[in-house]
Amino acid sequence: MSSTHKVKVNKEFEFILSEDDIATADIIKNSDSKLHIIHNNLSYHTEILQSDFNTKNYTIKVNGNTYKVSISNSLDTMISEMGFSIGASKQVNSITSPMPGLIIDIPIKVGQTVQKDEYLLVLEAMKMENIISSPREGIVKSIAVEKGDAVDKGKLLIEFE
């Protein structure tokens, strides 16, 4: 499988870059986000404004113009053609109990906005306190348990909007 990259600019224009295309470009890194590129005797001053490495989406400025760019390699293309997506994250809308136990603390309320990794509740199991944290930021839609409830593995604890 040859190594090529499909570059889509502003969801409109598509370019295929080979390893040779990239290797023949004269690239000088000015800082972590700024590059000066000379390719086919043309000069380009570039700056990466935003980057999402998981989805391979970037916002870049080239010679003063801003572009939305997505990059995929041949493996990404093959996976996409098979109906899968790479780098996409699943939105978690509910939290279930990872084990049987007893709910000993719930400091949050319905309607409260929580941040990723924020402490949601404490589940005591086998004489150990397990802190259940938020997998994402969001708004608490419902709390299906109360302090003092005994829960089984897989029991719904919290739902997000």
Side-chain angles (χ1 to χ4, degrees), residues 85-142:
S85 64
I86 195 162
S89 59
K90 183 180 176 191
Q91 183 79 348
V92 176
N93 291 322
S94 62
I95 298 174
T96 58
S97 179
M99 65 194 81
L102 182 69
I103 304 297
I104 60 172
D105 189 27
I106 307 173
I108 58 165
K109 305 272 186 245
V110 172
Q112 181 177 333
T113 300
V114 294
Q115 301 303 311
K116 184 177 176 77
D117 297 325
E118 186 174 333
Y119 157 67
L120 300 177
L121 59 86
V122 177
L123 174 69
E124 183 182 85
M126 297 183 282
K127 298 182 183 175
M128 291 187 64
E129 292 183 0
N130 300 284
I131 296 174
I132 307 295
S133 300
S134 179
R136 67 175 180 99
E137 64 179 68
I139 299 171
V140 178
K141 179 179 178 182
S142 68

Side-chain angles (χ1 to χ4, degrees), residues 10 14 16-17 21-22 26 40 47-48 59 66 69 82-83 85-86 98 101 103 105 112 114 132 135 139 143 147 152:
N10 292 342
E14 200 170 281
I16 304 295
L17 296 176
D21 292 329
I22 296 167
D26 184 12
N40 293 335
E47 180 178 5
I48 302 168
T59 303
T66 303
V69 176
M82 291 170 45
S85 64
I86 195 162
I103 304 297
D105 189 27
Q112 181 177 333
V114 294
I132 307 295
I139 299 171
I143 302 171
K147 188 175 175 180
D152 291 325

Side-chain angles (χ1 to χ4, degrees), residues 18-66:
S18 68
E19 283 185 359
D20 290 338
D21 292 329
I22 296 167
T24 59
D26 184 12
I27 302 172
I28 299 170
K29 188 172 185 177
N30 296 329
S31 71
D32 284 340
S33 63
K34 293 183 180 182
L35 303 168
H36 181 244
I37 302 170
I38 299 174
H39 186 64
N40 293 335
N41 297 321
L42 295 173
S43 175
Y44 303 94
H45 294 278
T46 65
E47 180 178 5
I48 302 168
L49 302 176
Q50 291 180 323
S51 61
D52 184 343
F53 296 109
N54 291 329
T55 60
K56 299 180 181 180
N57 290 310
Y58 305 89
T59 303
I60 61 170
K61 187 184 280 189
V62 179
N63 293 342
N65 298 312
T66 303

